[in-house]
Amino acid sequence: MGEFTMSAGAGKAEISLSGVLPHDGFDVQRHGLYARALLIEGEGERACILSLEVTSIAPDLLLRLREEVKDATGCDGPHAWVVPTHTFSVPHVRTPGHLADDTERARNERYRSALLDAARAALGQAVDSRRPVRLSAGEGSCPVNVSRDVETPAGWWVGTNPQGYADHAMPVVVLNDARGEALAVLATADVQSSVLDKSRDSEGKRVVSGDLFGFAAQTLERERGCVALLLPGAAGDQAPSEKAVRTDFAADGSSSTVDAHELAYRMLHKQGRTLAEALAKAMGACVPLEGGQVFARAFDVELPAQERADFHSLAPRRCYEFVSADLASTSVYLLRLGEMSLVGIQPEVASAFGSAVRAAQPGRVLLATLVNGGQKYLPAPDAYQKVTYEAMNSGFAAGAHERLLANIIAALNAA
């Protein structure tokens, strides 16, 4: 397996919600939330990945978190990735001017401070725990994702569609120390962490949870003693196979919503444990990587754009007029760890996009989305013809998928 030419450290810290709830539509906490950090060094360069169990990260908070990464690790620019797990079961940090009263503003500020405190603690642990490591990589199979684009009598909408396109490839990178023990595991899967999305318990309360990725990560961490960073993959058109809240459509196009309430927790536990078991199996099958280089770069791509529909007007429909807009810029982050290429992008892309990126270097590419900012959906080409939720709720026009993909593959081939 060669010499230890790289070193790494990992950390994990709980995000305290003391004095925060109820806030932003959430009432009580069901599961703990965590910040996780991974610091990797090789041949004079270092890179850091900071993951937080939140839905998304607003620009001003992202700037502060990137400052925390730089202060703690020295990593900046393309060497620093800040990524949400995209759980839908947590409050958002809101702009204070958009909140109703001083009580809500105080809770919002406590929550914001808690995220920064947890990030700082996880980063500190990553710095302090650095030791020589060997990298291994493999590709497991995610057992819980299905297409979420469902054709209804009124048009395409969001649901669970086992017959739709879903790539189950799950790239995994394991960092083992000199004792052969896993220090950290890094993985992506094409599935949203949204089993509990919009669900309420039988008393009408909405619970806070790290949801699918959070449950799977904590299960794996308890069993393997490592820090598990699960990042969102090409999940823009994907969902867990079982969700707490579903919408049923009648033949006349009318709809009704069904909530599983407390039974949703069984759905989460079952799928979270299944995902953790699949990750553990993939870890066991990983093969050592050669090389000890850490290399990072970023570049921007101009993509065709369109006007996004008003969110509250979104509904299934057969006809829709897409209105062109000026070009939209998006950033691509490339992080090379020995033989492994990590690709980070900001939009939520379709599973087919992830398939094409991974095919450029089979077994040696990990694609993560929502890296250093989010840009909503960048749909697959056929989404515009179907008029899917993602196509209407996107600022990217038809042709963006192909152009971004071509630029990423060209960059991977040039690396």
Side-chain angles (χ1 to χ4, degrees), residues 44-382:
E45 289 196 56
R46 59 169 56 176
C48 181
I49 299 174
L50 173 65
S51 166
L52 293 101
E53 289 185 343
V54 295
T55 310
S56 59
I57 303 173
D60 63 324
L61 179 58
L62 176 63
L63 181 62
R64 279 296 314 276
L65 289 165
R66 287 179 60 81
E67 288 173 351
E68 294 290 348
V69 173
K70 184 178 180 181
D71 290 346
T73 69
C75 297
D76 196 12
H79 292 82
W81 287 21
V82 178
V83 192
T85 64
H86 207 39
T87 170
F88 285 76
S89 299
V90 296
H92 286 77
V93 173
R94 301 294 183 181
T95 302
H98 292 170
L99 296 172
D101 52 44
D102 289 342
T103 299
E104 281 297 289
R105 283 187 280 273
R107 289 172 177 163
N108 189 68
E109 184 56 34
R110 280 195 287 270
Y111 182 39
R112 187 175 188 272
S113 297
L115 292 173
L116 291 168
D117 289 345
R120 195 177 301 119
L123 290 163
Q125 291 176 29
V127 171
D128 293 342
S129 66
R130 284 173 296 171
R131 51 188 180 268
V133 295
R134 289 191 179 105
L135 268 61
S136 299
E139 192 169 86
S141 179
C142 177
V144 297
N145 64 304
V146 298
S147 171
R148 71 175 194 165
D149 290 336
V150 178
E151 188 172 15
T152 78
W156 289 83
W157 198 236
V158 178
T160 55
N161 178 13
Q163 284 72 48
Y165 185 88
D167 190 336
H168 299 285
M170 186 168 60
V172 174
V173 179
V174 181
L175 297 91
N176 291 304
D177 62 19
R179 296 176 296 179
E181 297 178 354
L183 168 70
V185 57
L186 175 67
T188 62
D190 293 359
V191 60
Q192 286 189 340
S193 190
S194 59
V195 176
L196 303 181
D197 184 24
K198 299 182 180 65
S199 181
R200 295 183 180 274
D201 65 19
S202 55
E203 296 180 352
K205 294 180 179 180
R206 195 171 179 192
V207 303
V208 170
S209 171
D211 211 283
L212 179 62
F213 279 11
F215 193 94
Q218 290 191 59
T219 301
L220 193 65
E221 288 165 343
R222 285 194 300 267
E223 295 176 356
R224 302 299 292 266
C226 62
V227 175
L229 288 86
L230 308 186
L231 309 183
D237 62 349
Q238 301 292 294
S241 57
E242 290 185 288
K243 294 195 64 170
V245 175
R246 74 174 194 270
T247 302
D248 294 333
F249 287 85
D252 63 0
S254 61
S255 63
S256 59
T257 300
V258 179
D259 190 338
H261 301 306
E262 279 81 359
L263 291 177
Y265 306 140
R266 295 184 185 178
M267 297 179 184
L268 175 57
H269 296 179
K270 173 186 171 184
Q271 293 176 98
R273 174 155 289 282
T274 299
L275 180 56
E277 291 171 354
L279 285 162
K281 181 178 179 180
M283 290 173 66
C286 285
V287 298
L289 296 174
E290 297 295 331
Q293 182 186 32
V294 173
F295 171 79
R297 64 176 287 238
F299 60 90
D300 294 334
V301 182
E302 298 293 319
L303 301 174
Q306 66 182 25
E307 295 182 8
R308 277 178 59 197
D310 176 73
F311 180 78
H312 298 289
S313 72
L314 293 174
R317 59 188 69 196
R318 293 294 179 183
C319 297
Y320 181 82
E321 182 182 358
F322 294 99
V323 180
S324 297
D326 293 335
L327 291 174
S329 179
T330 191
S331 297
V332 177
Y333 297 88
L334 295 181
L335 180 56
R336 187 86 173 179
L337 305 177
E339 296 178 293
M340 193 74 185
S341 293
L342 278 56
V343 179
I345 58 176
Q346 296 168 322
E348 298 173 60
V349 293
S351 188
F353 190 101
S355 302
V357 171
R358 289 187 288 267
Q361 294 180 359
R364 291 291 184 266
V365 177
L366 182 152
L367 173 70
T369 54
L370 299 172
V371 174
N372 293 334
Q375 292 182 307
K376 296 298 287 185
Y377 301 103
L378 193 156
D382 65 347

